[in-house]
Amino acid sequence: MAMQGFDYAKQNIVKYRKEDAELWDLLTAVPRLNGVWPYICFFLNIILPGTGTMISSCLGYPGAWSKTQLTIGVVQMLTAVYLLGWIFSIYWGWLIL
């Protein structure tokens, strides 16, 4: 019985759905900024968690805002009280650089 469970897990551990891959692409698509803006966003993410991410979501995509990045910035700001959002915000600011 245990071997059947082990074989099942081994076969299905690397499978993932297409929707999961699309969501991962949305969450890891960090906008590329030019000039001094990446440094400003990084500094803001350190001082006020999430603000740099929200600004980069507006500046990084000409013609449209990234709602996903904006939501990530809001989540960073709301969870900064627990330090998790602050650490996540600093990491995201590093990715923006």
Side-chain angles (χ1 to χ4, degrees), residues 41 45 48-59 65-66 69-77 92 96:
C41 290
N45 270 349
L48 296 168
T51 56
T53 305
M54 290 187 276
I55 290 173
S56 70
S57 73
C58 298
L59 296 175
W65 294 358
S66 172
Q69 300 298 323
L70 197 61
T71 305
I72 289 172
V74 170
V75 168
Q76 289 171 351
M77 188 176 283
W92 208 261
I96 291 170

Side-chain angles (χ1 to χ4, degrees), residues 16-31 61 66 68-69 72 88 91-92 95:
Y16 57 89
R17 296 180 3 183
K18 185 178 121 185
E19 292 84 9
D20 294 336
E22 290 174 5
L23 180 64
W24 180 254
D25 289 340
L26 280 174
L27 290 176
T28 57
V30 179
Y61 302 100
S66 172
T68 306
Q69 300 298 323
I72 289 172
F88 183 43
Y91 172 69
W92 208 261
L95 291 178

